[in-house]
Amino acid sequence: MTMQLDIDKDLDALTLIVVATFDHPVEEVWDLYADPRKLERWWGPPTYPATVVEHDLTAGGTVHYYMTSPEGEQHHGRWDVLDVDAPTSFSILDKFADADGNPADGMPEATMRLSIAGTSGGAQMTAVTTYASREALEQVLAMGMEEGLRTSMAQMDGVLAGA
Amino acid sequence: MMLDDAQIDRLFHALADATRRDIVRRTVEGELSVTALAEGYPISFAAVQKHVAVLERVGLVTKSRHGRELRVRSELQSVERARHALDELAEAWQGRVQRMSDLLDTPTDTTTGE
C-alpha cells in the first residue's frame, strides 16, 4: 500500500486543503463517499463512529449522519449536496444537525469541495474545506470536536504501530 | 502555506519597532483607546496613530470607533485560535485518510452495500 498525504492550512482564507494519493482507481476512492456503508467506516474516528441515516449524493440531495460518543451520545451532522459529477467531484455544505437531520440553528457550516483525479498508479483526492468566518471555526472547536479528535489520533497511532 | 515572503517581510517590518511591539502586547488582553495608548509613550498622539496604522495594515491590530474614542485591539488571539482550529481539522483528516487507505486495502467482503 502506498499512500501520500499533504495538508495545507490557509489561515487568511480559513481553508484546509487535503491532498491524498492512493494506489487504487478513481472509482474505488469515489465509492468511499458514494457508498454509505463505506462512508461510515472512515468518516468518524473509531471512538466516535459514524452512522449514515440518509444518503442522497446528488445535487440538491442530503446526507444525514450521526456520530456516537464513547458515552453513547449522538452528534448529528448533515451535508447539503450542491453539485455532483460522479465519479470525480462533488461540493457540499457541511452542517451540524438535530436528531431529525434538520440543520441546527446558529451553528457554523463549512463548504467542502472534493475532487478525485486519476494518476498513473491510482487516484489523487483533493478535499478543500472552507469556513466562512473565524467565529465559525472557533465555534467548531468549542463544540468539543477537539476531544474526539485527540482520541482518534491515539487510535491512529495504534493502527500505524500495528502495521 | 500560511504567509508568503512579502507578507512575512511586512509583518517583520511592523514588529521591528519597539513601540509597535509594545502596542500589540498591551492590546492583547483587551481593547485600548489610542488616547490611553499614547499616554504610555514619550511620543505624540499622531505618532502613535501612525504606528497603529502600520500594525493595522498587516492585520496585527484592528480599530473600532466607540463614540469619539478610537479603540485598538490586537488580533493575535483570534489568529491563534483559528490556527488551532485548522490544526484540529487537519488531524481529523489525517485519521480519515488513514482509514480510507486501510479500507481500500481491505479485500471486498461478501456483504454487498446498496
Side-chain angles (χ1 to χ4, degrees), chain A residues 39 90 108 123:
Chain A
L39 176 60
F90 69 77

Side-chain angles (χ1 to χ4, degrees), chain A residues 24-49:
Chain A
H24 289 262
V26 169
E27 290 75 14
E28 280 187 38
V29 178
W30 177 260
D31 265 354
L32 296 176
Y33 292 90
D35 178 342
R37 299 291 82 81
K38 285 183 180 163
L39 176 60
E40 57 193 11
R41 288 177 67 183
W42 65 266
W43 181 256
T47 48
Y48 275 72

Side-chain angles (χ1 to χ4, degrees), chain B residues 15-82:
Chain B
L15 290 172
D17 180 271
T19 305
R20 288 201 286 267
R21 284 198 297 276
D22 198 57
I23 290 173
V24 172
R25 259 196 303 274
R26 287 176 65 194
T27 53
V28 163
E29 312 277 81
E31 51 183 14
L32 279 178
S33 70
V34 178
T35 315
L37 274 173
E39 281 165 8
Y41 309 111
I43 51 174
S44 68
F45 182 85
V48 171
Q49 268 185 319
K50 273 185 194 165
H51 282 313
V52 168
V54 172
L55 292 169
E56 193 184 23
R57 270 202 295 278
V58 294
L60 282 168
V61 302
T62 51
K63 285 190 300 198
S64 57
R65 187 164 281 287
H66 296 261
R68 289 185 173 187
E69 227 178 49
L70 199 55
R71 292 191 200 156
V72 180
R73 180 191 183 88
S74 153
E75 290 301 300
L76 282 184
Q77 282 174 316
S78 114
V79 170
E80 248 335 290
R81 284 200 300 268

Side-chain angles (χ1 to χ4, degrees), chain A residues 125-141:
Chain A
M125 177 199 86
T126 305
V128 181
T129 307
T130 305
Y131 284 87
S133 65
R134 291 223 158 106
E135 290 71 28
L137 252 183
E138 288 176 19
Q139 216 178 337
V140 169
L141 253 193

